[in-house]
Amino acid sequence: MNLDSLGRSLHDLRISVTDRCNFRCVYCMPKEVFGKDFQFLPPRSLLSFEETTRLAKICISLGVEKLRITGGEPLVRREIEKLIAMLAPLDGLKDLTLTTNGALLGRKAQALKDAGLRRITVSLDSIDDQTFRAMNDVDFPVSQVLEGIEAARAVGLSPIKVNMVVKRGLNEQSIVDMARRFLGSGMILRFIEYMDVGATNGWRLDDVVPAREIVSVIDRELPLEPLEPNYRGEVASRYRYRDGDGEIGVISSVTQPFCASCTRMRLSSEGKLYTCLFATAGHDVRALLRGGSSDEEIASFLVDIWTRRADRYSELRTAATVSLPKVEMSHIGG
Ligand code: SAM
Ligand code: SF4
Ligand code: SF4
């Protein structure tokens, strides 16, 4: 097994398939930056599905067991189900999932399931239509995301996880309503602390609602008790409702960092590898894929990157690191 310089193994690969998105969530792709004139990657610079699959296979040979497809918005990548169909049968792959904003899920759920997708995560920041429209900033109605979630459930994508990023003053009033909405639904609602990813969202520590506060706000209305992690390195701390009607997770990336057990590598849609969500630079693997390198050569490039890895940004976060020129979340995925 290849361990990085802090003793962590490589276990998951997050694959961003596009830097484009049909939403402009205020905490991720603010309109002032990602406006009409923003230069997205040209299609020819994106890794093809064949290139992505080849790389995924090499990563699996190095110990990766889990793949997550993300973006930008992965469902805006044309024929994304074809990539799923190429990845799903890979030998040694134990988990294949995708994170989406749900806008196109009503249309795509069946094709994704047929292609071999096993489960799905849908991001939804509020159940209140007005709040949700303000957060996605393209006036997208909450009802359509709920229809997408229902479609995913109907075709048997399971379990469904629902991710809510909580930002102070924006959607904290939706925490309990979201908990009530998904209580007893069989879906797992996860609350995510607002993070200082990228360099465009104007992040301030004051805007973070700490996971501890989220849990206590819910606990007051719907009593909770902690659960053991499902596996070592699980990023969400789990709680179940005392009445037994389901569970929630909280992801405390800012207030209680989990770098010590971070086993993730990220691949951008143009073929750069990042060993941390907060990285300022990536490693160009597209040049190798397109330049005639063998699988063995690419594998040794990956081993080299991983074994030199020393990232633990969230443990070291300071006022100074917040303003580093970090890569955008919409570029490398969550
Ligand atoms: N477009 C898809 C979606 O929204 O699910 C996939 C990509 S999105 C970058 C992946 C996840 O990152 C989403 O759940 C999103 O809410 C989360 N995210 C984006 N910016 C964030 C931030 N500043 N802090 C915490 N989570 C963030
Ligand atoms: Fe798009 Fe997802 Fe970022 Fe929202 S969080 S802007 S849906 S990539
Ligand atoms: Fe992993 Fe970097 Fe996040 Fe730490 S800050 S958990 S190393 S992605």
Side-chain angles (χ1 to χ4, degrees), residues 21-27 29 31 101 124-125 129-142 145 170:
C21 186
N22 44 2
F23 282 11
R24 285 293 176 272
C25 301
V26 291
Y27 55 77
M29 294 180 80
K31 260 185 185 163
N101 62 26
L124 178 62
D125 295 326
D129 194 51
Q130 214 180 335
T131 308
F132 182 62
R133 286 176 193 252
M135 283 187 85
N136 64 55
D137 214 11
V138 292
D139 212 25
F140 198 85
V142 78
V145 177
L170 202 57

Side-chain angles (χ1 to χ4, degrees), residues 13-237:
L13 179 67
R14 301 197 167 204
I15 303 175
S16 171
V17 291
T18 178
D19 61 336
R20 292 168 201 254
C21 186
N22 44 2
F23 282 11
R24 285 293 176 272
C25 301
V26 291
Y27 55 77
C28 177
M29 294 180 80
K31 260 185 185 163
E32 313 79 71
V33 179
F34 296 89
K36 274 200 205 71
D37 299 329
F38 186 82
Q39 295 285 315
F40 289 101
L41 296 168
R44 67 177 178 287
S45 72
L46 301 186
L47 291 190
S48 67
F49 291 164
E50 287 73 19
E51 288 166 337
T52 305
T53 306
R54 181 175 170 213
L55 192 68
K57 215 168 153 180
I58 298 170
C59 287
I60 291 169
S61 77
L62 296 175
V64 164
E65 295 183 336
K66 173 175 172 182
L67 299 177
R68 178 178 295 278
I69 309 301
T70 177
E73 171 48 39
L75 301 190
V76 306
R77 174 87 186 249
R78 225 168 348 124
E79 301 188 309
I80 186 64
E81 57 279 10
K82 287 199 174 154
L83 176 64
I84 302 288
M86 290 161 78
L87 296 174
L90 292 182
D91 262 352
L93 181 62
K94 299 217 172 111
D95 192 10
L96 173 61
T97 183
L98 177 147
T99 304
T100 172
N101 62 26
L104 299 173
L105 197 49
R107 255 186 271 163
K108 288 272 191 180
Q110 186 69 58
L112 293 169
K113 174 72 181 170
D114 293 346
L117 191 69
R118 302 168 199 182
R119 60 189 188 90
I120 200 158
T121 299
V122 183
S123 304
L124 178 62
D125 295 326
S126 179
I127 197 73
D128 172 63
D129 194 51
Q130 214 180 335
T131 308
F132 182 62
R133 286 176 193 252
M135 283 187 85
N136 64 55
D137 214 11
V138 292
D139 212 25
F140 198 85
V142 78
S143 57
Q144 218 167 309
V145 177
L146 293 173
E147 282 166 30
I149 293 175
E150 197 36 55
R153 196 222 303 255
V155 301
L157 288 168
S158 169
I160 296 176
K161 289 185 181 161
V162 176
N163 277 358
M164 170 177 176
V165 173
V166 185
K167 187 174 174 198
R168 180 81 73 200
L170 202 57
N171 63 340
E172 56 185 311
Q173 75 288 357
S174 299
I175 293 172
V176 175
D177 292 341
M178 282 285 282
R180 285 195 198 285
R181 175 65 178 72
F182 290 100
L183 181 79
S185 67
M187 302 180 211
I188 301 170
L189 178 59
R190 303 192 314 167
F191 298 89
I192 303 177
E193 287 180 350
Y194 170 49
M195 294 183 285
D196 52 323
V197 282
T200 60
N201 68 3
W203 185 90
R204 295 176 323 138
L205 187 57
D206 289 352
D207 293 332
V208 179
V209 180
R212 218 175 301 112
E213 182 178 330
I214 296 172
V215 170
S216 83
V217 165
I218 299 172
D219 182 57
R220 245 179 274 144
E221 305 273 331
L222 304 162
L224 292 169
E225 63 190 14
L227 282 173
E228 290 297 313
N230 282 317
Y231 53 89
R232 196 185 108 75
E234 188 173 30
V235 295
S237 307

